[in-house]
Amino acid sequence: MTQARARYGIAARVYLSAQKSKFDDRRDDEVTAKLEVQGVVQENMADLLKEAPLTSVQVEALVVMKIIKHCSQSFPLMTTGFLVGMDAKSTLEITNSFPFPAVEPPPTDTYHDSSNISQLAAAAPRSKANGVYQNEMIKKLREVNVDANNVGWYTSANLGNFVNMNMIENQYHYQKELNERTVALVHDVSRSSQGSLSLRAFRLSPAFMLAYKENKFTVESLQKSSFRYQDILLELPLQIHNSHLLTSFLHTLPSTTTTAPKIPNSLSELPPTHSLPSPLAPNLSTLTLSIDPFLSQTSDLLLEAIESHHTELNNHQYYQRSLAREQAKITAWQQKRKAENASRALTKQTPLPEDEWQRLFKLPTEPSRLEGMLNSRQVEQYARQVDGFTAGVTGKMFAVRSNLLPEKME
């Protein structure tokens, strides 16, 4: 009886172990299948995000305030920083920003040139030291479980002067090396000081990315691809997003009083002129009829950009004249060599090589047309700003035209 019980217990344990192994194998197969499905879903989502083009940029209000503060404190020197956030299908959400370390001149330099400091600050986004700093900051952000995806960089500008080689190289570095779906935010401090925020988002077009990678900016390549200076930068619509808590706080701010103002009876009853207006009060300073103070500065910058454009055109015309002279020399040499070979053929002598001109003559190298295209894009930017300045002043002048014209005598 005891041996039968022992054999029964052994058989039961063997049966249970076999069932457990089957259950474990089934569970492992299910987990493996789930992981494979999740991997396929993630790959498909990544492919969909890459295929869906960016159509808009959403910036948190806190990020806007941080960018404004950083750019205003260092004005008129250029400032840069990097942006973090997340990519939500066709919208790029920017949730935080961090400035790059301030550029300090070397201690051995007794004469600090502001232009050199500005050049170093403009090249900061693609420097190796700031790349290490950016990676360390993103690593710390991931440890606290916040958005830590690199989504671009920002820079300051003065009266729209931002279309240059530094911006192109920085954005190309971000779109090619770090993340293809990145943007460059440009904050114009001078324009924002007039009361309206100037914050714009730009990306490099795919056609320009390909041309810049191959460094093909010759006249022939541009004619074949039909590439224009308007196709260099793509501007994306920008939207500022507030949290629900901040929106509730804005609604609790006191509004303007609707009661009739009290007429003072003496000078002592006049309200102080330094009293601040209530929050969200209308700004009546925009109704002034004076000409925009930045209009003359923008016009001067426009003339400088046009002169730079003419300089690039003169350089290209000089190249064409040099090329024509060299080609004329080559044609004359080839004709002379053909005549010599004809005379040597009559005397049954060995003809001389006719491709020797490649060693004797050197054709001039065609200059790149990229700088001229950037100047054209900058001229267009200044022209739009002048149009915007004059449109506001002209509209206000037409509004008060009846008061400015003398009345007709009946």
Side-chain angles (χ1 to χ4, degrees):
M1 191 69 179
T2 305
Q3 293 179 356
R5 290 181 179 177
R7 287 196 298 269
Y8 178 78
I10 293 173
R13 286 195 296 269
V14 170
Y15 176 78
L16 291 177
S17 62
Q19 294 296 327
K20 182 179 180 182
S21 61
K22 290 181 180 179
F23 177 76
D24 293 339
D25 294 339
R26 187 183 303 172
R27 185 177 60 182
D28 293 340
D29 294 339
E30 292 178 356
V31 171
T32 304
K34 288 182 180 180
L35 291 177
E36 291 178 356
V37 171
Q38 291 178 359
V40 171
V41 171
Q42 290 178 358
E43 291 179 359
N44 294 335
M45 289 297 296
D47 295 337
L48 290 176
L49 289 177
K50 290 182 179 179
E51 293 176 359
L54 292 178
T55 57
S56 61
V57 177
Q58 179 178 297
V59 187
E60 294 293 331
L62 179 60
V63 177
V64 176
M65 298 300 295
K66 292 173 67 174
I67 293 176
I68 293 175
K69 181 180 179 182
H70 181 214
C71 297
S72 301
Q73 288 177 348
S74 302
F75 186 78
L77 296 178
M78 179 179 291
T79 55
T80 53
F82 70 96
L83 307 170
V84 294
M86 62 182 301
D87 187 2
K89 295 183 180 179
S90 61
T91 302
L92 192 66
E93 299 179 0
I94 301 175
T95 57
N96 210 338
S97 66
F98 297 94
F100 287 121
V103 178
E104 297 181 357
T108 57
D109 188 9
T110 57
Y111 176 72
H112 304 327
D113 190 1
S114 60
S115 61
N116 294 335
I117 298 178
S118 298
Q119 290 292 332
L120 293 175
R126 60 182 187 275
S127 63
K128 293 183 179 180
N130 287 332
V132 174
Y133 166 76
Q134 183 174 348
N135 293 333
E136 289 294 330
M137 184 64 70
I138 291 177
K139 181 180 178 182
K140 300 296 182 183
L141 292 176
R142 287 176 179 173
E143 292 178 358
V144 295
N145 196 19
V146 297
D147 297 339
N149 298 323
N150 193 338
V151 295
W153 62 289
Y154 69 88
T155 180
S156 61
N158 182 17
L159 292 176
N161 186 15
F162 62 90
V163 185
N164 48 42
M165 283 301 302
N166 285 320
M167 179 183 179
I168 297 299
E169 292 177 359
N170 291 335
Q171 184 60 22
Y172 179 80
H173 169 72
Y174 270 78
Q175 287 189 215
K176 180 178 180 297
E177 301 293 340
L178 302 180
N179 183 8
E180 194 275 334
R181 301 170 70 85
T182 55
V183 296
L185 296 185
V186 180
H187 173 56
D188 198 327
V189 183
S190 301
R191 294 287 302 276
S192 299
S193 63
Q194 298 176 328
S196 59
L197 177 63
S198 177
L199 187 65
R200 306 168 67 183
F202 293 95
R203 294 185 75 249
L204 295 179
S205 63
F208 180 81
M209 290 287 294
L210 181 61
Y212 191 84
K213 179 181 180 180
E214 299 177 354
N215 197 16
K216 291 184 178 180
F217 291 100
T218 59
V219 175
E220 182 180 0
S221 61
L222 294 177
Q223 288 178 349
K224 289 182 179 179
S225 60
S226 301
F227 188 77
R228 307 173 302 166
Y229 69 89
Q230 294 94 338
D231 302 329
I232 297 177
L233 294 175
L234 299 178
E235 185 173 3
L236 301 177
L238 189 142
Q239 180 183 5
I240 298 177
H241 177 262
N242 291 325
S243 63
H244 298 293
L245 183 62
L246 182 57
T247 304
S248 302
F249 173 73
L250 292 176
H251 283 291
T252 59
L253 293 177
S255 59
T256 56
T257 57
T258 57
T259 58
K262 181 181 179 181
I263 301 177
N265 297 323
S266 61
L267 294 177
S268 60
E269 296 182 1
L270 288 175
T273 57
H274 58 80
S275 60
L276 297 176
S278 58
L280 303 181
N283 186 10
L284 302 180
S285 61
T286 57
L287 299 179
T288 179
L289 297 178
S290 61
I291 299 178
D292 200 310
F294 294 105
L295 179 59
S296 59
Q297 300 180 19
T298 307
S299 301
D300 294 338
L301 293 175
L302 176 60
L303 292 177
E304 293 179 1
I306 293 175
E307 291 178 358
S308 301
H309 183 66
H310 280 293
T311 302
E312 292 294 329
L313 290 179
N314 293 333
N315 294 336
H316 186 70
Q317 291 176 358
Y318 175 77
Y319 156 76
Q320 290 178 335
R321 291 193 297 267
S322 302
L323 181 62
R325 287 194 298 266
E326 293 297 326
Q327 288 178 345
K329 293 179 182 179
I330 293 173
T331 303
W333 184 88
Q334 289 177 343
Q335 293 177 355
K336 183 179 179 181
R337 179 55 59 90
K338 289 181 180 179
E340 291 180 358
N341 288 336
S343 61
R344 291 174 69 90
L346 295 176
T347 58
K348 297 182 179 181
Q349 296 180 358
T350 305
L352 299 175
E354 296 184 359
D355 58 349
E356 196 176 355
W357 64 270
Q358 298 178 0
R359 182 177 57 85
L360 299 176
F361 300 95
K362 185 178 180 181
L363 295 177
T365 305
E366 183 178 358
S368 176
R369 300 291 295 165
L370 177 58
E371 195 69 31
M373 296 176 69
L374 292 179
N375 287 332
S376 301
R377 181 64 176 82
Q378 186 63 68
V379 169
E380 181 186 20
Q381 174 65 28
Y382 288 145
R384 289 180 179 178
Q385 291 182 183
V386 172
D387 186 20
F389 290 149
T390 55
V393 176
T394 306
K396 289 184 288 187
M397 295 298 290
F398 272 104
V400 297
R401 180 181 180 184
S402 59
N403 296 329
L404 298 178
L405 295 177
E407 298 181 358
K408 294 182 181 181
M409 300 296 295
E410 295 182 357

